[in-house]
Amino acid sequence: EVQLVETGGGLIQPGGSLRLSCAASGFSVNNNYMSWVRQAPGEGLEWVSLIYSGGNTFYADSVKGRFTISRDNSKNTLYLQMNNLRADDTAVYYCARGHYYGSRSYSGAFDIWGQGTMVTVSS
Amino acid sequence: DIQMTQSPSSVSASVGDRVTITCRASQGISSWLAWYQQKPGKAPKLLIYAASSLQSGVPSRFSGSGSGTDFTLTISSLQPEDFATYYCQQADSFPWTFGQGTKVEIK
């Protein structure tokens, strides 16, 4: 079964660090573009970061310089290292798999999502 | 950054109604647009990609159209399971961005 399972969320004080993990099954993270998307309580979706199969990475302005996306191909796991956390980073964090169609055409959409992990930044 | 503006923010509709949601990009994004459905406490679900292509397994009552800056998601005959929040997302240029969401509520 193709699925993503996020772990690593929790309560953290402002200025602290946390690493989220996203374990994939049924496909290889290194063969797909992968993203992190977050959703603050009661709010909409916010794209956070992306890593392409070739290794290029991109970030939202709000997290640039503080968050780092990476992957471990041997563990088939995506990560999000979050440093210098702020109260406005409080959200459910989803990992998502990039969508391809036809003979491996890239769509820029996300077709498989994890269940999300809650990060609460508070003193 | 490209801003994605959805309208309306919410809509009240009845089962069987035709519902149309609009998404406008602050600059042209060709057809690099996706639509998602999200129910409370659940992850988003991909409905439409490349502005008008229906994702596998999604009912044909959902359709998407548009290119450039103006896009629409149409539900041709609203079903009870369609009451949810809908988001558009652009993938033309980084940072990728979502619309603010449109909540479809029961009338």
Side-chain angles (χ1 to χ4, degrees):
Chain A
E1 181 187 7
V2 174
Q3 67 173 358
L4 296 165
V5 178
E6 303 99 333
T7 55
L11 175 63
I12 187 77
Q13 292 189 337
S17 297
L18 210 56
R19 188 178 79 159
L20 306 183
S21 299
C22 171
S25 55
F27 72 99
S28 295
V29 295
N30 64 306
N31 286 342
N32 292 268
Y33 62 102
M34 302 289 298
S35 253
W36 289 95
V37 175
R38 69 184 181 183
Q39 187 168 37
E43 301 296 321
L45 301 171
E46 180 186 14
W47 175 82
V48 172
S49 183
L50 178 143
I51 184 167
Y52 280 114
S53 57
N56 288 350
T57 59
F58 297 87
Y59 299 92
D61 292 343
S62 58
V63 307
K64 200 173 295 182
R66 300 188 299 124
F67 290 12
T68 302
I69 190 172
S70 64
R71 66 188 180 216
D72 183 330
N73 298 338
S74 66
K75 295 182 178 179
N76 207 25
T77 298
L78 180 74
Y79 300 102
L80 186 67
Q81 177 66 43
M82 305 185 295
N83 297 331
N84 192 21
L85 282 160
R86 311 186 305 219
D88 62 358
D89 295 318
T90 295
V92 174
Y93 284 73
Y94 296 101
C95 63
R97 184 185 79 169
H99 170 254
Y100 294 90
Y101 63 98
S103 55
R104 197 74 178 168
S105 296
Y106 158 100
S107 77
F110 302 106
D111 61 348
I112 303 295
W113 295 67
Q115 84 288 352
T117 187
M118 183 70 204
V119 173
T120 302
V121 184
S122 175
S123 55
Chain B
D1 298 2
I2 298 176
Q3 308 302 318
M4 305 300 292
T5 303
Q6 289 182 230
S7 60
S9 296
S10 65
V11 57
S12 293
S14 301
V15 173
D17 284 353
R18 182 182 184 90
V19 173
T20 298
I21 299 169
T22 296
C23 179
R24 176 163 288 175
S26 60
Q27 63 191 71
I29 59 169
S30 185
S31 295
W32 293 103
L33 186 99
W35 288 97
Y36 301 88
Q37 176 193 70
Q38 187 181 34
K39 296 181 179 180
K42 300 295 187 182
K45 174 186 174 182
L46 177 62
L47 300 175
I48 301 287
Y49 62 91
S52 60
S53 295
L54 190 68
Q55 170 65 349
S56 175
V58 174
S60 58
R61 63 181 179 272
F62 291 93
S63 64
S65 65
S67 67
T69 59
D70 295 314
F71 302 85
T72 59
L73 173 71
T74 299
I75 310 172
S76 60
S77 178
L78 199 65
Q79 297 302 299
E81 61 268 31
D82 301 336
F83 292 96
T85 300
Y86 294 84
Y87 295 92
C88 61
Q89 174 237 321
Q90 68 84 15
D92 177 80
S93 61
F94 288 102
W96 290 3
T97 44
F98 287 87
Q100 82 279 14
T102 295
K103 187 172 184 179
V104 177
E105 300 175 298
I106 300 172
K107 191 171 187 177

